[in-house]
């Protein structure tokens, strides 16, 4: 009679061992999917994405090689060949380069060196509520291509930039680099911290249920099980 009872209880015991493990696995996968959705969808919602069909002259995030029809050149600019690439260059003081971009930061890839001079960079937003002028020196002891950040940490928006050759030194620009970081990155922190903490708890639970299902770790029996055994 005792052997027969053990045979009848074995299927229920196996189901009871692996049932919590599969449920813990499902919860871990669900939280991973939620965190992935939050990191991807929120980034799109908090990042400015201009409609290129309505604003074709606005540069989006990424690398733009010159010359480009969306970048206006005013003055005596020439196109120089550099290996497989090209640069737009001028040696006339007062020559300007203008462009608009949608994002939070911009940089220019220029040829700095002994022949280079200084540039003035003015920037304003579409509503003309922001305007700033900064000076950057491109004079170096040796000639090289260099990335010069001209503006950083802006609120996501559309900005107009003007780069001016200040003193008649060589100004040779290869490309423009636009960045578009999320404007409210701090909104990610609370749900991400809570989600990672909850995920860590679920992973510990998942590991314990796996060990228990494999028979490597057993929890203490409940009071009801003790009473049933007696």
């Amino acid at each position: 009679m005792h052997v027969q009872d053990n045979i009848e209880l074995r299927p229920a015991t196996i189901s009871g061992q692996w049932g919590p493990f599969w449920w813990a696995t499902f919860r871990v996968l669900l939280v991973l999917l939620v965190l992935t959705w939050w990191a991807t969808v929120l980034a799109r919602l908090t990042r400015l994405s201009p409609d290129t069909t309505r604003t074709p002259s606005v540069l989006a995030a990424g690398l733009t090689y010159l010359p480009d029809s969306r970048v206006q050149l005013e003055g005596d600019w020439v196109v120089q060949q550099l290996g497989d690439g090209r640069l737009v260059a001028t040696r006339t003081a007062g020559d300007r380069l203008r462009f608009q971009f949608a994002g939070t930061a911009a940089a220019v890839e220029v040829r700095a060196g002994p022949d280079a001079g200084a540039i003035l960079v003015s920037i304003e937003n579409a509503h003309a509520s922001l305007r700033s002028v900064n000076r950057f020196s491109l004079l170096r002891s040796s000639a090289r291509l260099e990335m010069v950040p001209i503006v950083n940490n802006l609120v996501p928006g559309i900005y107009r930039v003007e780069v001016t050759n200040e003193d008649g030194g060589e100004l040779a620009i290869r490309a423009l680099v636009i960045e578009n970081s999320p404007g409210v990155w701090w909104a990610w922190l609370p749900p991400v911290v809570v989600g990672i903490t909850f995920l860590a708890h679920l992973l510990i639970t998942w590991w314990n249920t796996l060990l228990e299902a494999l028979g490597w770790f057993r929890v203490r029996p409940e009071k009801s099980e003790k009473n049933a055994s007696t």
Side-chain angles (χ1 to χ4, degrees):
M1 185 66 180
H2 180 68
V3 174
Q4 182 178 0
D5 290 343
N6 288 341
I7 295 175
E8 292 177 354
L9 290 175
R10 181 172 298 177
T13 302
I14 295 175
S15 175
Q17 286 177 342
W18 286 99
F21 169 75
W22 295 121
W23 172 241
T25 303
F26 171 76
R27 290 190 297 175
V28 169
L29 294 176
L30 181 62
V31 172
L32 285 174
L33 288 175
V34 171
L35 287 174
T36 303
W37 174 86
W38 186 265
T40 55
V41 174
L42 185 64
R44 292 177 179 270
L45 294 178
T46 57
R47 182 181 288 118
L48 179 66
S49 298
D51 186 355
T52 55
T53 60
R54 300 178 61 180
T55 55
S57 61
V58 176
L59 301 181
L63 190 64
T64 301
Y65 291 100
L66 300 182
D68 189 282
S69 60
R70 296 168 296 178
V71 180
Q72 301 175 7
L73 302 175
E74 180 182 311
D76 298 326
W77 293 84
V78 297
V79 178
Q80 297 179 348
Q81 197 70 27
L82 179 66
D84 295 334
R86 294 182 296 176
L87 301 93
V88 292
T90 178
R91 287 180 176 267
T92 304
D95 284 1
R96 294 176 173 85
L97 175 148
R98 296 187 181 97
F99 64 94
Q100 296 185 81
F101 74 92
T104 56
V108 292
E109 187 180 13
V110 299
R111 182 168 60 200
D115 296 333
I119 59 174
L120 291 176
V121 178
S122 65
I123 179 171
E124 64 179 7
N125 58 11
H127 306 289
S129 58
L130 168 69
R131 181 170 178 82
S132 65
V133 178
N134 298 308
R135 183 179 186 273
F136 300 89
S137 176
L138 305 180
L139 185 63
R140 304 289 187 273
S141 58
S142 60
R144 62 178 181 270
L145 286 176
E146 184 175 312
M147 193 69 67
V148 178
I150 56 176
V151 63
N152 288 299
N153 301 322
L154 295 173
V155 176
I158 296 178
Y159 297 89
R160 291 188 289 266
V161 178
E162 182 179 271
V163 180
T164 304
N165 187 335
E166 181 186 29
D167 53 12
E170 183 189 52
L171 173 58
I173 303 178
R174 180 171 181 260
L176 306 174
V177 182
I178 308 301
E179 295 183 6
N180 191 14
S181 302
V184 286
W185 59 268
W186 46 265
W188 298 20
L189 295 182
V192 168
V193 170
V194 172
I196 293 178
T197 302
F198 187 52
L199 178 62
H201 168 72
L202 291 180
L203 287 174
I204 294 174
T205 303
W206 174 84
W207 180 251
N208 289 335
T209 55
L210 175 62
L211 295 181
E212 182 182 351
L214 293 175
W216 298 350
F217 172 76
R218 295 185 181 276
V219 298
R220 291 181 299 177
E222 300 292 338
K223 292 182 178 180
S224 58
E225 295 179 358
K226 290 182 179 180
N227 295 334
S229 62
T230 56

